Amino acid sequence: MNSQIKQILLSNDDGVDSPGLWAAARALSELGYVTVSAPRDHMSATGRGYQKNSDGRITAKKLNVKDQDWDIYAVGGSPSQSVTHGVMELAPRKPDLVVTGINYGENFGTDVTYSGTVGAALEAAAMGIPALAVSQRLTSEEWDGFPDNVDFSISAYFTKFFAEILLKNSLPEDVDVLNVVVPEGATKDTPWKVTKLARKRYYKPYVIREGKLDEEAKIHSHALELDEIPPDSDMYTVRVERMVAVVPLSLDLTSRVAPDSLEKMLRK
């Protein structure tokens, strides 16, 4: 294979059958050779976890991109495992970029730590590969069934836009992943903005339990209302300003507190 061709590994957490994944594949194919390695099953909200009971089986499937049939790979494992298998077994060489998405639903605030889409991007970053995670805001909170009325074309446009930048430029120090969230109803002219994660969870959980504690229950969630969204944050950028949010993420989870002041407090 021509070593000059950029190598892009594409994954997600919605699973290999997600139309968001297909839209990203079509857009990224204009930038280089795309290897698709995504979970065989729907794996939303799995973070960066590895599943001990995953079978690791990899099955080739066909995806039609630009009137050509591509081999894509369905992995029996989590999004992070799909990235690992993709880098170590499936890509022709170490990818120049890993892209995850396009995710059904927005990945905001502290929720990014349980997003499988973001988790897969962090997995790539931990392997020394720059990564881009892309999600699209949906008004409906029910997207497990891949509703066919979701148009990913604009999110695909921004996926290609930022991927092209990352293929041409190195990320600054302490930036390992770009988390991009596209507002619903965006156009190619929608402005984008570098912002920060809200220090707040976006999906507020609640428990539905009809019986005793030892009987089955479900944790559900609903998104914050507009008046609950903190300003100067990724949520505010997308929900209020109606702009594309671009959030730099770091693998370094160390608090930015002054170590001396923390140690002084702990030693009192």
Side-chain angles (χ1 to χ4, degrees):
M1 177 170 288
N2 187 341
S3 60
Q4 300 300 313
I5 297 176
K6 295 294 185 180
Q7 297 294 316
I8 302 169
L9 179 68
L10 176 63
S11 192
N12 71 350
D13 72 359
D14 291 320
V16 75
D17 293 318
S18 169
L21 183 78
W22 305 342
R26 293 185 182 95
L28 293 170
S29 68
E30 299 178 14
L31 302 179
Y33 185 85
V34 181
T35 301
V36 178
S37 174
R40 178 183 61 215
D41 306 307
H42 197 141
M43 286 282 186
S44 290
T46 52
R48 195 185 153 197
Y50 274 45
Q51 297 184 320
K52 290 185 177 181
N53 62 347
S54 61
D55 58 44
R57 292 192 176 98
I58 300 175
T59 305
K61 301 181 71 173
K62 292 293 184 182
L63 174 67
N64 188 273
V65 178
K66 292 185 174 180
D67 299 323
Q68 294 185 27
D69 286 331
W70 284 14
D71 284 326
I72 64 172
Y73 299 96
V75 178
S78 69
S80 289
Q81 288 170 301
S82 297
V83 166
T84 299
H85 284 294
V87 171
M88 303 187 74
E89 295 187 283
L90 302 174
R93 59 173 173 80
K94 183 177 180 179
D96 299 292
L97 176 68
V98 170
V99 178
T100 60
I102 302 163
N103 191 71
Y104 272 84
E106 53 270 45
N107 290 319
F108 280 149
T110 59
D111 292 0
V112 299
T113 56
Y114 65 73
S115 163
T117 295
V118 176
L122 290 170
E123 184 70 11
M127 301 174 79
I129 305 169
L132 171 67
V134 184
S135 60
Q136 176 171 315
R137 181 173 183 261
L138 300 179
T139 301
S140 169
E141 294 182 14
E142 292 296 331
W143 49 78
D144 287 356
F146 301 142
D148 56 12
N149 62 340
V150 179
D151 182 0
F152 286 103
S153 60
I154 299 302
S155 291
Y157 167 81
F158 282 106
T159 299
K160 178 188 173 185
F161 176 84
F162 288 107
E164 188 169 17
I165 292 173
L166 295 187
L167 287 170
K168 293 179 178 178
N169 303 274
S170 298
L171 284 168
E173 184 178 357
D174 198 40
V175 179
D176 300 298
V177 173
L178 287 187
N179 184 44
V180 174
V181 186
V182 180
E184 190 171 49
T187 70
K188 292 180 180 179
D189 296 323
T190 296
W192 56 271
K193 176 182 177 180
V194 175
T195 183
K196 64 182 181 181
L197 292 178
R199 196 179 177 87
K200 191 172 188 177
R201 67 188 312 163
Y202 180 65
Y203 289 107
K204 298 167 65 176
Y206 59 94
V207 177
I208 295 181
R209 183 187 301 279
E210 297 180 355
K212 298 178 181 179
L213 288 179
D214 62 353
E215 295 180 313
E216 184 175 336
K218 296 285 187 181
I219 297 177
H220 294 263
S221 62
H222 59 81
L224 295 180
E225 300 296 334
L226 282 179
D227 60 1
E228 300 176 287
I229 291 176
D232 190 26
S233 71
D234 53 351
M235 299 178 192
Y236 194 87
T237 298
V238 171
R239 291 286 308 277
V240 179
E241 298 178 304
R242 307 288 296 173
M243 298 170 67
V244 176
V246 182
V247 180
L249 302 181
S250 172
L251 286 170
D252 182 359
L253 299 181
T254 308
S255 171
R256 273 54 177 176
V257 67
D260 290 347
S261 66
L262 176 61
E263 185 164 343
K264 182 178 179 181
M265 183 274 290
L266 293 174
R267 293 185 181 278
K268 280 185 180 180

